[in-house]
Amino acid sequence: MRILYFAYGSNMSSVRLRSRIRSETVKVVGQAYLKDRKVLFNKLSTDESGKANLVESPGDVTWGVLYEMNDSDVEQLDRIEKGYQRIKIQVCQPDGETLEAVTYQSTQLTDDPVAYDWYKDLIITGAREHHLPQDYIAYLEQLPAKPDKTKSKPVH
């Protein structure tokens, strides 16, 4: 079965997603947005940084990338996205069409919502790759980040 997956964090980068899911069946559908949510780096990570997460925010919009993949690919993402729960959402495409998709959201939150700079760069790279609106990219750019003192950075 084919499933639509809405990526709003580092998986917007197709290089990042393909490094995590080595499947020939993952297909980019295009841009999409989610109403009344915004992205913050408030998901508590095991590396002591914040990761992208969706929070309720009436009037705000979260842009992202819609991918089509097999349910086995989504099951693989379930194993990779530790600390997140898969949820069903309604996303809108730029032409106004509404589609059902899945995405990930976490209730494991940090009091220090700051991402590592390399992680934030992955998100911005993905947003630029898929030509998300410039004002949304500017929003992502102003989110807080800090240098990563460790040497273990994932594939860009």
Side-chain angles (χ1 to χ4, degrees), residues 37-105:
R37 305 271 177 95
K38 71 177 175 180
V39 170
L40 294 177
F41 294 142
N42 72 340
K43 189 255 182 198
L44 178 62
S45 177
T46 56
D47 69 6
E48 299 180 14
S49 71
K51 297 291 189 253
N53 196 24
L54 292 171
V55 297
E56 300 275 336
S57 186
D60 280 321
V61 171
T62 293
W63 282 89
V65 181
L66 206 54
Y67 292 96
E68 183 182 73
M69 57 182 64
N70 289 334
D71 51 359
S72 60
D73 299 325
V74 176
E75 288 168 5
Q76 188 174 350
L77 265 182
D78 288 347
R79 290 186 293 276
I80 292 168
E81 297 294 353
K82 291 180 176 28
Y84 289 95
Q85 295 79 42
R86 183 187 344 156
I87 60 171
K88 288 185 179 179
I89 55 169
Q90 296 291 317
V91 295
C92 300
Q93 292 185 293
D95 65 5
E97 183 180 0
T98 301
L99 301 168
E100 184 174 283
V102 298
T103 196
Y104 293 87
Q105 188 172 19

Side-chain angles (χ1 to χ4, degrees), residues 90-150:
Q90 296 291 317
V91 295
C92 300
Q93 292 185 293
D95 65 5
E97 183 180 0
T98 301
L99 301 168
E100 184 174 283
V102 298
T103 196
Y104 293 87
Q105 188 172 19
S106 182
T107 56
Q108 297 177 13
L109 307 180
T110 177
D111 292 331
D112 185 26
V114 180
Y116 284 135
D117 47 9
W118 61 262
Y119 178 79
K120 178 179 165 180
D121 289 347
L122 274 176
I123 294 172
I124 293 168
T125 296
R128 287 187 178 132
E129 173 189 351
H130 297 284
H131 309 287
L132 298 188
Q134 190 55 49
D135 62 335
Y136 187 70
I137 293 172
Y139 167 76
L140 295 173
E141 289 173 336
Q142 62 82 38
L143 289 171
K146 61 186 175 186
D148 185 353
K149 306 263 191 260
T150 70

